Amino acid sequence: MPSLPGFINHYFSKHEPKPPPISTRTAIFLLVIYTLIYVVPFYLSRTTRPSPTLSRDAPSVIRARIVSVSLTCVACSTITFVILTSQGRATAAETLHTLGYWPIGLAETGKCFLLTAVLFAGPLYEYLVVDEGWRDWLALRPLSDLFGDWTKWRNIVAGPFTEEVLFRSAAVPLMLTAQTPVTTTIFLSPLVFGLAHLHHYYEFRLSHPHVATGFLLMRSIMQLGYTTLFGAYATFLFLRSGSLLAVFVVHAFCNCMGLPRVWGRVLPAVVVDERGQSSRPSLLWTVVYYVFLVVGAVGWYKNLGLLTESSNALVAMKI
């Protein structure tokens, strides 16, 4: 069974119980403060604040926001580092481990990515086979698009990395130091992560002023739901792997894939022959997709413990 990092073991040890240096309430308060520091600066400057004439997807806004959140991550990570190392509670090496920076966890990253890819077996089949995405990857077009499009860079690299630094690396160790139960850490801290996305309601409202308020509220509630759910999964992976790189890669992959299709037909592009006639796509494409979707979900569940087990784990969990 994976062992706890040294300084956390001092507080969880049954032989020498010690009061935690901070309470769970204080840890959650700091998480909220971190979230505000992450989001509020977006609306304090004209370069980062969207308006009816300036979209959040404008390259100038994206660049300015990346700078803003990067500074926030440095500041919040420093605060957590100081809390963990103050009064000799932890060494620098132990703290870097708890923050997920060292060991890097290349093996853990590969296993967590494989586990998540199994869960997305259906969507991967649709993208790579049905939509022939494999052709794009042979030409490396997704990579060239990533480095040539600021929106893609934000959604796949900058956003996932800074969010994992803040909401996993800087936040989760506070919950552990507060001796918060593991289940509470997994399901409560991601709620703050989900709430951090609610400002998208305001930004979507600016760019879509004629959309009904009810639809916008439903959209925000759904976004809160799936971001919180993903946050719980990412927190679980972070605790099991002890690797910031692992959760960043999984986050980037999930942003690439989006939400899996759970209804409707899966159809390839319609091919028109020389006579201008097209054939109706076979229902088999759809059947295979949903088989992969179910098999992938079962495979993910069956391998959840095996593919997340690591000697670098931050806490010991029975799966």
Side-chain angles (χ1 to χ4, degrees):
M1 182 62 69
S3 61
L4 299 171
F7 90 100
I8 295 179
N9 192 49
H10 295 328
Y11 299 104
F12 279 88
S13 172
K14 296 179 179 179
H15 303 291
E16 298 181 26
K18 294 183 179 181
I22 61 174
S23 66
T24 296
R25 182 174 298 181
T26 300
I28 294 173
F29 174 76
L30 286 171
L31 264 62
V32 173
I33 294 299
Y34 286 3
T35 302
L36 292 176
I37 297 174
Y38 189 90
V39 174
V40 170
F42 291 169
Y43 303 97
L44 299 181
S45 168
R46 287 184 298 176
T47 58
T48 57
R49 183 173 60 245
S51 67
T53 58
L54 183 63
S55 169
R56 66 185 294 268
D57 294 329
S60 61
V61 173
I62 294 175
R63 288 193 295 267
R65 286 189 170 192
I66 289 176
V67 172
S68 173
V69 297
S70 297
L71 293 174
T72 296
C73 287
V74 171
C76 295
S77 296
T78 300
I79 293 172
T80 299
F81 186 91
V82 169
I83 292 174
L84 268 56
T85 56
S86 63
Q87 300 178 4
R89 295 190 184 103
T91 65
E94 288 173 334
T95 302
L96 289 176
H97 179 193
T98 308
L99 295 176
Y101 288 103
W102 190 262
I104 295 175
L106 293 178
E108 287 78 5
T109 299
K111 292 194 296 183
C112 289
F113 174 76
L114 176 61
L115 177 68
T116 309
V118 168
L119 180 62
F120 280 83
L124 282 172
Y125 161 77
E126 180 178 12
Y127 167 60
L128 293 174
V129 179
V130 180
D131 296 336
E132 298 186 342
W134 64 271
R135 297 181 185 275
D136 292 333
W137 277 102
L138 281 181
L140 299 180
R141 274 190 287 270
L143 293 180
S144 62
D145 290 344
L146 179 64
F147 290 100
D149 187 318
W150 277 104
T151 301
K152 284 187 172 64
W153 180 262
R154 176 198 63 196
N155 294 343
I156 299 174
V157 178
F161 182 72
T162 56
E163 288 178 357
E164 292 309 317
V165 167
L166 187 70
F167 295 104
R168 246 61 67 185
S169 174
V172 171
L174 295 176
M175 304 288 284
L176 295 179
T177 304
Q179 246 181 341
T180 306
V182 173
T183 303
T184 303
T185 299
I186 291 175
F187 291 103
L188 181 59
S189 60
L191 181 59
V192 180
F193 170 70
L195 292 172
H197 292 76
L198 288 182
H199 69 101
H200 291 167
Y201 170 89
Y202 169 72
E203 297 184 348
F204 192 82
R205 185 69 168 173
L206 282 176
S207 58
H208 301 79
H210 303 297
V211 175
T213 301
F215 173 81
L216 291 177
L217 289 174
M218 183 60 67
R219 180 179 182 273
S220 296
I221 292 172
M222 288 184 61
Q223 187 175 43
L224 172 63
Y226 67 72
T227 52
T228 300
L229 185 62
F230 171 79
Y233 178 55
T235 301
F236 169 81
L237 293 181
F238 183 68
L239 291 173
R240 290 279 290 175
S241 68
S243 171
L244 173 61
L245 178 63
V247 289
F248 160 62
V249 169
V250 168
H251 194 155
F253 173 73
C254 289
N255 277 15
C256 286
M257 299 305 300
L259 292 175
R261 174 201 297 271
V262 293
W263 67 83
R265 294 189 62 179
V266 175
L267 302 174
V270 176
V271 178
V272 181
D273 61 23
E274 297 177 352
R275 295 174 295 177
Q277 297 179 341
S278 60
S279 57
R280 182 179 178 84
S282 171
L283 184 62
L284 187 61
W285 294 100
T286 300
V287 173
V288 172
Y289 170 83
Y290 286 109
V291 168
F292 272 119
L293 191 67
V294 173
V295 170
V298 173
W300 173 83
Y301 178 77
K302 293 286 188 181
N303 291 280
L304 191 59
L306 176 65
L307 291 179
T308 57
E309 186 174 5
S310 170
S311 59
N312 296 328
L314 301 183
V315 294
M317 286 187 284
K318 293 182 179 180
I319 305 298

Coordinates of all heavy atoms in Angstrom, one line a residue, residues 95-147:
T95 N 7.4 18.8 0.8 CA 6.3 19.8 0.3 C 6.2 19.7 -1.3 O 5.1 19.7 -1.8 CB 6.7 21.2 0.7 OG1 6.8 21.3 2.1 CG2 5.6 22.2 0.2
L96 N 7.3 19.6 -2.0 CA 7.3 19.5 -3.4 C 6.6 18.2 -3.8 O 5.9 18.2 -4.8 CB 8.7 19.5 -4.0 CG 9.4 20.9 -3.9 CD1 10.8 20.8 -4.5 CD2 8.6 21.9 -4.8
H97 N 6.8 17.2 -3.0 CA 6.0 15.9 -3.3 C 4.5 16.1 -3.1 O 3.7 15.7 -3.9 CB 6.6 14.8 -2.3 CG 5.8 13.5 -2.5 ND1 6.0 12.5 -1.6 CD2 5.0 13.0 -3.5 CE1 5.2 11.4 -2.0 NE2 4.6 11.8 -3.1
T98 N 4.2 16.8 -2.0 CA 2.8 17.0 -1.7 C 2.1 17.9 -2.7 O 0.9 17.7 -3.0 CB 2.6 17.5 -0.3 OG1 3.3 16.7 0.6 CG2 1.1 17.5 0.1
L99 N 2.9 18.8 -3.3 CA 2.3 19.7 -4.3 C 2.3 19.0 -5.7 O 1.7 19.6 -6.6 CB 3.2 21.0 -4.4 CG 3.2 21.9 -3.2 CD1 4.2 23.1 -3.4 CD2 1.8 22.4 -2.9
G100 N 2.9 17.8 -5.8 CA 2.8 17.1 -7.0 C 3.9 17.4 -8.0 O 3.8 16.9 -9.2
Y101 N 4.9 18.1 -7.6 CA 6.0 18.5 -8.6 C 7.1 17.5 -8.7 O 7.7 17.3 -9.7 CB 6.6 19.8 -8.1 CG 5.7 21.0 -8.4 CD1 5.0 21.6 -7.3 CD2 5.5 21.5 -9.7 CE1 4.1 22.7 -7.6 CE2 4.7 22.6 -9.9 CZ 4.0 23.2 -8.8 OH 3.1 24.2 -9.0
W102 N 7.4 16.8 -7.6 CA 8.5 15.8 -7.6 C 8.2 14.6 -6.6 O 7.7 14.9 -5.5 CB 9.8 16.5 -7.1 CG 11.0 15.6 -7.3 CD1 11.6 14.8 -6.4 CD2 11.6 15.4 -8.6 NE1 12.6 14.1 -7.0 CE2 12.7 14.5 -8.3 CE3 11.5 15.9 -9.9 CZ2 13.6 14.0 -9.3 CZ3 12.3 15.4 -10.9 CH2 13.4 14.5 -10.6
P103 N 8.3 13.4 -7.1 CA 8.7 13.0 -8.4 C 7.7 13.4 -9.5 O 6.5 13.6 -9.2 CB 8.8 11.5 -8.3 CG 8.9 11.2 -6.9 CD 8.1 12.3 -6.2
I104 N 8.2 13.6 -10.7 CA 7.3 14.1 -11.8 C 6.2 13.1 -12.1 O 5.1 13.5 -12.3 CB 8.2 14.3 -13.1 CG1 9.2 15.4 -12.9 CG2 7.2 14.6 -14.3 CD1 10.1 15.6 -14.0
G105 N 6.5 11.8 -12.0 CA 5.5 10.8 -12.2 C 5.1 10.5 -13.6 O 4.0 10.5 -14.0
L106 N 6.2 10.1 -14.4 CA 5.9 9.8 -15.8 C 5.1 8.5 -16.0 O 4.2 8.5 -16.8 CB 7.3 9.7 -16.6 CG 8.1 11.0 -16.7 CD1 9.4 10.7 -17.5 CD2 7.3 12.0 -17.5
A107 N 5.4 7.5 -15.2 CA 4.7 6.3 -15.2 C 3.2 6.5 -14.8 O 2.3 6.0 -15.4 CB 5.3 5.2 -14.4
E108 N 3.1 7.3 -13.7 CA 1.7 7.6 -13.2 C 0.9 8.4 -14.3 O -0.3 8.1 -14.5 CB 1.8 8.4 -11.9 CG 2.3 7.6 -10.7 CD 3.7 7.4 -10.7 OE1 4.5 7.9 -11.6 OE2 4.2 6.7 -9.8
T109 N 1.6 9.3 -15.0 CA 0.9 10.0 -16.0 C 0.4 9.1 -17.2 O -0.7 9.2 -17.6 CB 1.9 11.1 -16.6 OG1 2.3 12.0 -15.6 CG2 1.2 11.9 -17.8
G110 N 1.3 8.2 -17.6 CA 0.9 7.3 -18.6 C -0.3 6.4 -18.2 O -1.2 6.2 -19.0
K111 N -0.3 5.9 -17.0 CA -1.4 5.0 -16.5 C -2.7 5.8 -16.3 O -3.8 5.3 -16.7 CB -1.0 4.4 -15.2 CG 0.2 3.4 -15.3 CD 0.3 2.5 -14.1 CE 0.7 3.3 -12.9 NZ 0.9 2.4 -11.7
C112 N -2.6 7.0 -15.8 CA -3.8 7.8 -15.6 C -4.4 8.2 -17.0 O -5.6 8.2 -17.2 CB -3.5 9.1 -14.8 SG -3.2 8.8 -13.1
F113 N -3.5 8.5 -17.9 CA -4.0 8.8 -19.3 C -4.6 7.6 -19.9 O -5.7 7.7 -20.5 CB -2.8 9.3 -20.2 CG -3.2 9.5 -21.6 CD1 -3.9 10.6 -22.0 CD2 -2.9 8.6 -22.6 CE1 -4.3 10.8 -23.3 CE2 -3.2 8.7 -23.9 CZ -3.9 9.9 -24.3
L114 N -4.0 6.4 -19.8 CA -4.6 5.2 -20.3 C -6.0 4.9 -19.7 O -6.9 4.6 -20.4 CB -3.6 4.0 -20.1 CG -4.1 2.7 -20.5 CD1 -4.4 2.6 -22.0 CD2 -3.1 1.6 -20.1
L115 N -6.1 5.1 -18.4 CA -7.3 4.8 -17.7 C -8.4 5.7 -18.3 O -9.6 5.3 -18.6 CB -7.2 5.1 -16.2 CG -8.4 5.0 -15.4 CD1 -8.9 3.5 -15.3 CD2 -8.2 5.5 -14.0
T116 N -8.1 7.0 -18.5 CA -9.1 8.0 -19.0 C -9.4 7.7 -20.4 O -10.6 7.9 -20.9 CB -8.6 9.4 -18.8 OG1 -8.1 9.6 -17.4 CG2 -9.7 10.4 -19.1
A117 N -8.4 7.3 -21.2 CA -8.7 7.0 -22.6 C -9.6 5.8 -22.7 O -10.4 5.7 -23.6 CB -7.3 6.7 -23.3
V118 N -9.5 4.8 -21.8 CA -10.4 3.7 -21.8 C -11.8 4.1 -21.6 O -12.8 3.7 -22.2 CB -10.0 2.6 -20.7 CG1 -11.1 1.6 -20.5 CG2 -8.7 2.0 -21.1
L119 N -12.0 5.1 -20.7 CA -13.3 5.6 -20.4 C -13.9 6.3 -21.6 O -15.1 6.3 -21.9 CB -13.2 6.7 -19.2 CG -14.5 7.4 -18.8 CD1 -15.6 6.4 -18.3 CD2 -14.3 8.4 -17.8
F120 N -13.0 6.9 -22.4 CA -13.4 7.6 -23.7 C -13.3 6.7 -24.9 O -13.2 7.3 -26.0 CB -12.6 8.9 -23.8 CG -13.1 10.0 -23.0 CD1 -12.7 10.2 -21.7 CD2 -13.9 11.0 -23.5 CE1 -13.1 11.2 -20.9 CE2 -14.4 12.1 -22.8 CZ -14.0 12.2 -21.4
A121 N -13.4 5.4 -24.7 CA -13.3 4.5 -25.9 C -14.3 4.8 -27.0 O -13.9 4.8 -28.2 CB -13.4 3.1 -25.4
G122 N -15.5 5.1 -26.6 CA -16.5 5.4 -27.6 C -16.2 6.7 -28.3 O -16.2 6.7 -29.6
P123 N -16.0 7.8 -27.6 CA -15.7 9.1 -28.3 C -14.4 9.0 -29.2 O -14.3 9.6 -30.2 CB -15.5 10.1 -27.2 CG -16.4 9.6 -26.1 CD -16.3 8.1 -26.2
L124 N -13.4 8.2 -28.7 CA -12.2 8.1 -29.5 C -12.5 7.3 -30.8 O -11.9 7.6 -31.8 CB -11.1 7.3 -28.7 CG -10.4 8.1 -27.6 CD1 -9.5 7.2 -26.7 CD2 -9.5 9.2 -28.3
Y125 N -13.3 6.3 -30.7 CA -13.8 5.6 -31.9 C -14.5 6.5 -32.9 O -14.2 6.5 -34.1 CB -14.7 4.4 -31.5 CG -15.5 3.9 -32.7 CD1 -15.0 3.1 -33.6 CD2 -16.9 4.2 -32.8 CE1 -15.8 2.6 -34.7 CE2 -17.7 3.7 -33.8 CZ -17.1 2.9 -34.7 OH -17.9 2.5 -35.8
E126 N -15.3 7.4 -32.4 CA -16.1 8.3 -33.2 C -15.1 9.3 -33.9 O -15.2 9.6 -35.1 CB -17.1 9.0 -32.4 CG -17.9 10.0 -33.3 CD -19.0 10.8 -32.5 OE1 -19.0 10.6 -31.2 OE2 -19.9 11.4 -33.1
Y127 N -14.2 9.8 -33.1 CA -13.3 10.9 -33.6 C -12.2 10.3 -34.6 O -12.0 10.8 -35.7 CB -12.6 11.6 -32.5 CG -11.4 12.4 -32.9 CD1 -11.6 13.5 -33.8 CD2 -10.1 12.2 -32.4 CE1 -10.5 14.2 -34.2 CE2 -9.0 12.9 -32.8 CZ -9.2 14.0 -33.7 OH -8.2 14.7 -34.1
L128 N -11.6 9.2 -34.2 CA -10.5 8.6 -35.0 C -10.9 7.8 -36.1 O -10.3 7.9 -37.2 CB -9.6 7.8 -34.1 CG -8.8 8.5 -33.0 CD1 -8.1 7.6 -32.1 CD2 -7.8 9.6 -33.6
V129 N -12.0 7.0 -36.0 CA -12.5 6.1 -37.0 C -13.6 6.7 -37.8 O -13.5 6.8 -39.1 CB -12.9 4.8 -36.4 CG1 -13.3 3.8 -37.5 CG2 -11.7 4.2 -35.6
V130 N -14.7 7.0 -37.2 CA -15.9 7.5 -37.9 C -15.6 8.8 -38.6 O -15.9 9.0 -39.8 CB -17.1 7.6 -36.9 CG1 -18.3 8.1 -37.7 CG2 -17.4 6.3 -36.3
D131 N -15.0 9.8 -37.9 CA -14.7 11.1 -38.4 C -13.4 11.1 -39.1 O -12.9 12.2 -39.6 CB -14.8 12.2 -37.4 CG -16.2 12.3 -36.8 OD1 -17.2 11.9 -37.5 OD2 -16.3 12.8 -35.6
E132 N -12.6 10.0 -39.1 CA -11.3 9.9 -39.7 C -10.3 10.9 -39.2 O -9.5 11.4 -39.9 CB -11.5 10.0 -41.3 CG -12.3 8.9 -41.9 CD -12.3 9.0 -43.4 OE1 -12.0 10.0 -44.0 OE2 -12.7 7.9 -44.0
G133 N -10.4 11.1 -37.9 CA -9.4 12.0 -37.3 C -8.0 11.5 -37.3 O -7.0 12.3 -37.2
W134 N -7.8 10.2 -37.5 CA -6.5 9.6 -37.7 C -5.7 10.3 -38.8 O -4.5 10.4 -38.8 CB -6.5 8.1 -37.8 CG -7.2 7.6 -39.1 CD1 -8.5 7.4 -39.3 CD2 -6.6 7.4 -40.4 NE1 -8.8 7.0 -40.6 CE2 -7.6 7.0 -41.3 CE3 -5.2 7.4 -40.8 CZ2 -7.3 6.6 -42.6 CZ3 -5.0 7.1 -42.1 CH2 -6.0 6.7 -43.0
R135 N -6.4 10.7 -39.8 CA -5.7 11.3 -41.0 C -5.1 12.7 -40.5 O -4.0 13.0 -41.0 CB -6.7 11.6 -42.1 CG -7.3 10.3 -42.7 CD -8.3 10.7 -43.9 NE -9.0 9.5 -44.4 CZ -8.4 8.7 -45.3 NH1 -7.2 9.0 -45.8 NH2 -9.1 7.6 -45.7
D136 N -5.8 13.4 -39.7 CA -5.3 14.7 -39.2 C -4.0 14.4 -38.3 O -3.1 15.2 -38.4 CB -6.3 15.4 -38.4 CG -7.5 15.9 -39.2 OD1 -7.3 16.1 -40.4 OD2 -8.6 16.0 -38.6
W137 N -4.1 13.4 -37.5 CA -2.9 13.1 -36.7 C -1.7 12.6 -37.5 O -0.6 12.9 -37.1 CB -3.3 12.1 -35.6 CG -4.0 12.7 -34.4 CD1 -5.3 12.7 -34.2 CD2 -3.3 13.5 -33.4 NE1 -5.5 13.5 -33.0 CE2 -4.4 13.9 -32.5 CE3 -2.0 13.8 -33.1 CZ2 -4.1 14.7 -31.4 CZ3 -1.7 14.6 -32.0 CH2 -2.8 15.0 -31.2
L138 N -1.9 11.9 -38.6 CA -0.8 11.5 -39.4 C -0.1 12.8 -40.0 O 1.1 12.8 -40.2 CB -1.3 10.6 -40.6 CG -1.6 9.2 -40.2 CD1 -2.0 8.4 -41.5 CD2 -0.3 8.5 -39.6
A139 N -0.9 13.8 -40.2 CA -0.3 15.0 -40.8 C 0.1 16.0 -39.7 O 0.5 17.1 -39.9 CB -1.3 15.7 -41.7
L140 N -0.1 15.6 -38.4 CA 0.2 16.4 -37.2 C -0.6 17.8 -37.2 O -0.1 18.8 -36.6 CB 1.7 16.7 -37.1 CG 2.6 15.4 -37.0 CD1 4.0 15.8 -36.9 CD2 2.2 14.6 -35.7
R141 N -1.7 17.8 -37.9 CA -2.5 19.0 -37.9 C -3.0 19.5 -36.5 O -3.0 20.7 -36.2 CB -3.7 18.9 -38.9 CG -3.4 19.2 -40.3 CD -4.6 19.3 -41.2 NE -5.2 18.0 -41.4 CZ -4.8 17.2 -42.5 NH1 -3.9 17.6 -43.3 NH2 -5.4 16.0 -42.6
P142 N -3.4 18.6 -35.6 CA -3.8 19.0 -34.3 C -2.7 19.8 -33.6 O -3.0 20.7 -32.8 CB -4.2 17.7 -33.6 CG -4.6 16.8 -34.7 CD -3.7 17.1 -35.8
L143 N -1.5 19.4 -33.7 CA -0.4 20.0 -33.0 C -0.1 21.4 -33.7 O 0.1 22.4 -32.9 CB 0.9 19.2 -33.1 CG 0.8 17.9 -32.3 CD1 2.2 17.1 -32.5 CD2 0.6 18.2 -30.8
S144 N -0.2 21.5 -35.0 CA 0.0 22.8 -35.6 C -1.1 23.7 -35.3 O -0.9 25.0 -35.0 CB 0.1 22.6 -37.1 OG -1.1 22.1 -37.7
D145 N -2.4 23.2 -35.1 CA -3.5 24.1 -34.7 C -3.3 24.5 -33.3 O -3.6 25.7 -33.0 CB -4.8 23.3 -34.9 CG -5.2 23.0 -36.3 OD1 -4.6 23.7 -37.2 OD2 -6.1 22.1 -36.5
L146 N -2.8 23.7 -32.4 CA -2.6 24.0 -31.0 C -1.7 25.2 -30.9 O -1.9 26.1 -30.1 CB -2.0 22.8 -30.3 CG -1.8 23.0 -28.8 CD1 -3.0 23.3 -28.0 CD2 -1.1 21.8 -28.2
F147 N -0.6 25.2 -31.6 CA 0.4 26.3 -31.5 C 0.1 27.5 -32.4 O 0.7 28.5 -32.3 CB 1.8 25.8 -31.9 CG 2.4 24.8 -30.9 CD1 2.3 23.4 -31.1 CD2 2.9 25.3 -29.7 CE1 2.8 22.5 -30.2 CE2 3.4 24.4 -28.7 CZ 3.4 23.0 -29.0

